[in-house]
Amino acid sequence: MNPLKRLGRRRASVLSLLAVAALVTPGAATAAPDGVRASTLGAQAAQSGRYFGTAVAAGRLGDGTYTGILDREFNSVTPENEMKWDTIERSRGSFNFGPGDQIANRAAARGQRLRGHTLVWHQQLPGWVSSIRDANTLRSVMNNHITQVMNHYKGKVHAWDVVNEAFADGGSGQMRSSVFRDVLGTGFIEQAFRTARSADPSAKLCYNDYNIENWSDAKTQGVYRMVRDFKARGVPIDCVGLQSHFGAGGPPAGFQTTLSNFAALGVDVQITELDIAQAPAAAYANTVRACMNVARCTGITVWGIRDSDSWRSGENPLLFDRNGNKKPAYQSTLSALGGSAAAQRTAAPSPRSAAALPSSFRWSSSGALIAPKPDSTHNIAGIKDPSVVHYNGKYHVFASTASSAGYNLVYLSFSDWSQAGSATHHYLDRTAIGAGYRAAPQVFYNTQQRLWYLVYQTGNASYSTNPDISNPNGWSAPRNFYSSMPDIIRQNIGNGYWVDMWVICDSANCYLFSSDDNGHLYRSQTTVGQFPNGFTNTVIAAQDSKFAMFEASNVYKVQGSNQYLLLVEAIGSDGRRYFRSWTASSLAGSWSPLAASESNPFAKSSNVTFPAGTWTRDISHGEMIRAGYDQTLTIPACQLQYLYQGKDPNAGGDYNNLPWRLGLLTQTNSTC
């Protein structure tokens, strides 16, 4: 984005955009890179910001084959029985955390995430709890158990199954009979979730159940109604766990629909106890693929490691046989996660059938979710140019702050979009990033260096690094990618401005794209090993007329395909901002139009609906919600979301003082 005063006027000359020149793309296309792939389940899931975990039994931790697979393959663990009520509080008020601690401490030492399972369940419940018939006593006992257990594991458990299996099988769609429902009524679930939030505000709170994978089933609908009601009334719930104990046929045909519909309520979904009778490779691949196609499906847990470890051992339902050998289902699962090249060759679907973007798009927009929060030293008019990643259970947003005094950067984080407006704003001019002109941030994690990078413009292309994205004070002072503006940019920029730097890497090279407000998209490159140094070979990657290829370019890898997506902000014949799009098979290749015209835009007010009221006619500088958070900038092919800046359609005046706000687009015509 260009913060200077140059957009208060849009004269009739903009009408020339209706006859835009053909897009010029110097350089020949090259073969697509393989992308970043891993050879184990947990490592590959992490590439898209997900986890792939397993249930762990403390009694098996002395088995070398068992722990060898556990440590190699999984980046998340769930205690199988060690955190259930009859283990932790067998006698009232007497807590035994030893078995759970054994698993928790081992996971922490190996960098594995920990799911808590489970706080309130009608089974594996001590007799003294089951025999309580007084509501006040049971409520006190339940709340105390939740509080004591969550306080003990605070900071160690990222997600809890707060309530487990509370709904009845069959056609009623109602809650099952249990001591909790029979004595406390159906409100016990809400009570449990509210108590859990108070005990550990940072942990994700999940409802977990089986036989809720088929969307049309009464049990599924009952759980859905409960979650919808909780979200509407502000009852704290962050995720729904689908146990997914499948027969040999695997998931129902509508499994992905179920995941998507729960996710659309504003909760994460997780496959929490996966096993499939006889472990057919296709059934495992279909299950994993359904999760990968839903952006808010954040992780998968198989319920055991080897077939001999399974509660269904007679059905051989897991990914490793009794000797610890990988079964065909392992390879299909790794492939469906986007795994190693060998797995891709043997089991993956063709890239285009796996993830082909549509040729036109339709969107629904939220209202304005994030507005400026001025304080005594920051008199901010607009918040702009967002960059966002979902990491460790939170959205991390970086943005420009704009005012008559100039531009700088701000950081905020939150667990759910409903919390975005109330999130604390951390102004980065108070950090080593410093005061002065800093704008248009982009954030990603460099997996080789294990560092977060924040890329931004300072008049040059600059960056800072941080080992911990959640620590706003951890960013380093600005460094520059270039010693000065590359000659080819200086020769073509005319009366434009050098803006909007964007970094993306494949398996071999990193590329730095930038714009000039004058119809040119530039690209430099360096090797992955040299990054962030060595950017050379700057070329014009694409060009068009001034307002047709203006600024705010984004480039992404499309998950499950050899396809890259380029978005560039344009200015329409009505003077409003919108996005055009192109695709390529290589970051160094040529770009082919996708939805690239004003009549068929990627995103413009004409193909966006505003259910909460039309608060903007500009769809301006923003960023896709990615499938992961690393340097490959991978996005899902389906159900896209885009965080963007918009403003009051009647606002005018000085560009730096325009009242930009941030809203979220959600794709409504997804084909998968």
Side-chain angles (χ1 to χ4, degrees):
M1 48 73 63
N2 175 17
L4 302 179
K5 305 174 185 178
R6 79 271 190 268
L7 292 179
R9 56 197 183 279
R10 284 288 167 253
R11 294 189 280 270
S13 61
V14 179
L15 293 173
S16 63
L17 287 180
L18 297 177
V20 168
L23 184 67
V24 177
T25 54
T30 60
D34 279 342
V36 178
R37 295 185 182 129
S39 58
T40 63
L41 300 168
Q44 186 55 44
Q47 296 285 357
S48 62
R50 294 173 169 86
Y51 64 82
F52 198 98
T54 187
V56 173
R60 293 189 174 93
L61 293 177
D63 181 331
T65 302
Y66 182 91
T67 55
I69 300 171
L70 170 62
D71 295 345
R72 182 186 75 231
E73 294 290 343
F74 300 102
N75 63 345
S76 172
V77 299
T78 302
E80 190 168 350
N81 293 297
E82 290 76 3
M83 290 186 181
K84 291 172 181 172
W85 200 317
D86 66 350
T87 297
I88 283 185
E89 194 186 5
R90 182 163 294 180
S91 301
R92 184 173 179 177
S94 178
F95 291 86
N96 173 26
F97 294 113
D101 286 352
Q102 184 180 359
I103 293 174
N105 294 337
R106 191 181 191 284
R110 288 159 176 79
Q112 294 165 317
R113 305 177 79 183
L114 182 67
R115 293 192 80 259
H117 177 79
T118 176
L119 296 168
V120 179
W121 186 29
H122 66 282
Q123 292 189 7
Q124 292 184 242
L125 195 64
W128 68 268
V129 181
S130 301
S131 64
I132 296 173
R133 290 296 175 263
D134 177 71
N136 289 332
T137 301
L138 183 58
R139 185 177 299 107
S140 175
V141 163
M142 182 183 75
N143 290 344
N144 183 64
H145 180 81
I146 293 169
T147 300
Q148 295 296 328
V149 175
M150 292 188 73
N151 279 340
H152 180 81
Y153 288 109
K154 186 179 293 186
K156 296 181 179 180
V157 170
H158 76 89
W160 274 102
D161 290 331
V162 178
V163 177
N164 194 51
E165 299 179 4
F167 277 76
D169 293 318
S172 73
Q174 303 299 312
M175 293 181 196
R176 69 167 69 244
S177 174
S178 72
V179 64
F180 300 105
R181 194 213 67 173
D182 297 347
V183 176
L184 298 177
T186 58
F188 85 90
I189 300 182
E190 177 175 342
Q191 178 70 58
F193 274 85
R194 291 192 183 278
T195 301
R197 178 67 88 223
S198 296
D200 186 353
S202 298
K204 291 274 192 177
L205 308 182
C206 307
Y207 175 78
N208 191 55
D209 215 327
Y210 66 93
N211 284 353
I212 60 170
E213 294 82 12
N214 189 17
W215 174 243
S216 62
D217 285 355
K219 185 175 183 180
T220 307
Q221 291 297 308
V223 174
Y224 179 83
R225 287 192 297 271
M226 180 191 73
V227 177
R228 182 177 61 190
D229 172 63
F230 279 12
K231 294 299 289 186
R233 293 191 295 110
V235 179
I237 184 169
D238 304 308
C239 41
V240 173
L242 297 90
Q243 293 183 15
S244 304
H245 298 295
F246 294 136
F255 182 45
Q256 184 176 317
T257 297
T258 303
L259 296 175
S260 298
N261 287 343
F262 275 114
L265 294 176
V267 295
D268 292 341
V269 288
Q270 301 169 352
I271 299 173
T272 53
E273 303 182 20
L274 178 62
D275 47 29
I276 306 177
Q278 308 310 322
Y284 262 100
N286 290 338
T287 304
V288 173
R289 198 172 295 119
C291 176
M292 297 297 289
N293 286 339
V294 176
R296 293 201 69 156
C297 186
T298 57
I300 299 170
T301 298
V302 288
W303 206 245
I305 295 177
R306 302 164 299 191
D307 287 332
S308 54
D309 305 317
S310 172
W311 70 298
R312 305 168 67 186
S313 60
E315 298 176 288
N316 298 320
L318 296 175
L319 300 176
F320 297 87
D321 68 20
R322 294 165 190 269
N323 295 318
N325 299 311
K326 298 173 183 177
K327 296 160 65 174
Y330 173 93
Q331 296 298 337
S332 69
T333 296
L334 183 63
S335 176
L337 289 167
S340 69
Q344 290 281 338
R345 287 193 295 270
T346 59
S350 66
R352 187 156 297 278
S353 64
L357 293 170
S359 58
S360 63
F361 295 85
R362 294 194 300 275
W363 308 88
S364 176
S365 176
S366 70
L369 296 176
I370 301 174
K373 289 189 175 180
D375 62 18
S376 59
T377 57
H378 297 86
N379 184 24
I380 297 163
I383 185 165
K384 313 181 56 190
D385 319 319
S387 182
V388 55
V389 291
H390 191 260
Y391 171 74
N392 203 20
K394 290 187 175 183
Y395 291 99
H396 301 264
V397 175
F398 296 80
S400 305
T401 57
S403 70
S404 57
Y407 280 69
N408 209 273
L409 305 176
V410 66
Y411 162 73
L412 56 154
S413 65
F414 45 87
S415 298
D416 189 83
W417 290 106
S418 63
Q419 303 167 354
S422 59
T424 300
H425 287 207
H426 300 275
Y427 296 104
L428 299 186
D429 60 354
R430 295 170 173 164
T431 73
I433 287 175
Y437 172 47
R438 287 96 170 90
Q442 180 212 6
V443 68
F444 62 87
Y445 184 68
N446 185 299
T447 54
Q448 283 76 25
Q449 299 175 16
R450 298 187 178 182
L451 279 175
W452 290 94
Y453 273 78
L454 191 65
V455 177
Y456 48 95
Q457 61 190 52
T458 58
N460 199 327
S462 299
Y463 68 92
S464 296
T465 60
N466 189 344
D468 180 5
I469 191 174
S470 65
N471 176 16
N473 295 314
W475 292 103
S476 66
R479 303 181 182 93
N480 293 336
F481 288 109
Y482 304 97
S483 59
S484 61
M485 181 187 292
D487 289 342
I488 192 170
I489 301 178
R490 183 177 296 106
Q491 294 160 6
N492 288 275
I493 195 169
N495 62 354
Y497 301 91
W498 187 27
V499 295
D500 299 336
M501 291 71 187
W502 183 270
V503 171
I504 179 173
C505 306
D506 59 29
S507 58
N509 296 300
C510 293
Y511 299 85
L512 197 162
F513 291 85
S514 59
S515 301
D516 68 1
D517 283 354
N518 194 29
H520 302 98
L521 177 70
Y522 302 99
R523 184 191 71 235
S524 305
Q525 72 181 72
T526 188
T527 65
V528 167
Q530 286 182 294
F531 180 83
N533 303 309
F535 275 106
T536 57
N537 191 30
T538 304
V539 299
I540 298 174
Q543 65 183 46
D544 209 327
S545 63
K546 178 182 178 72
F547 296 136
M549 184 161 278
F550 196 63
E551 60 183 25
S553 65
N554 302 190
V555 186
Y556 305 97
K557 178 73 165 64
V558 180
Q559 192 173 52
S561 73
N562 291 326
Q563 189 176 48
Y564 291 89
L565 174 68
L566 165 66
L567 306 179
V568 179
E569 185 174 331
I571 302 173
S573 57
D574 57 359
R576 302 295 188 185
R577 303 298 191 98
Y578 75 100
F579 276 94
R580 304 171 66 200
S581 60
W582 297 262
T583 60
S585 60
S586 167
L587 287 169
S590 59
W591 296 98
S592 301
L594 181 62
S597 66
E598 192 167 3
S599 61
N600 180 31
F602 180 79
K604 193 178 191 293
S605 60
S606 59
N607 68 338
V608 176
T609 60
F610 295 86
T614 304
W615 64 279
T616 180
R617 288 296 183 192
D618 292 274
I619 309 297
S620 185
H621 194 142
E623 188 174 297
M624 300 292 295
I625 307 300
R626 299 178 224 158
Y629 48 84
D630 68 14
Q631 71 277 357
T632 65
L633 306 189
T634 301
I635 60 170
C638 306
Q639 299 171 322
L640 302 176
Q641 289 189 300
Y642 193 81
L643 184 64
Y644 74 102
Q645 66 180 36
K647 63 178 175 63
D648 181 345
N650 298 315
D654 183 273
Y655 183 75
N656 291 2
N657 286 323
L658 290 175
W660 294 102
R661 305 291 186 264
L662 304 184
L664 184 67
L665 297 180
T666 298
Q667 185 187 6
T668 58
N669 70 325
S670 179
T671 58
C672 48

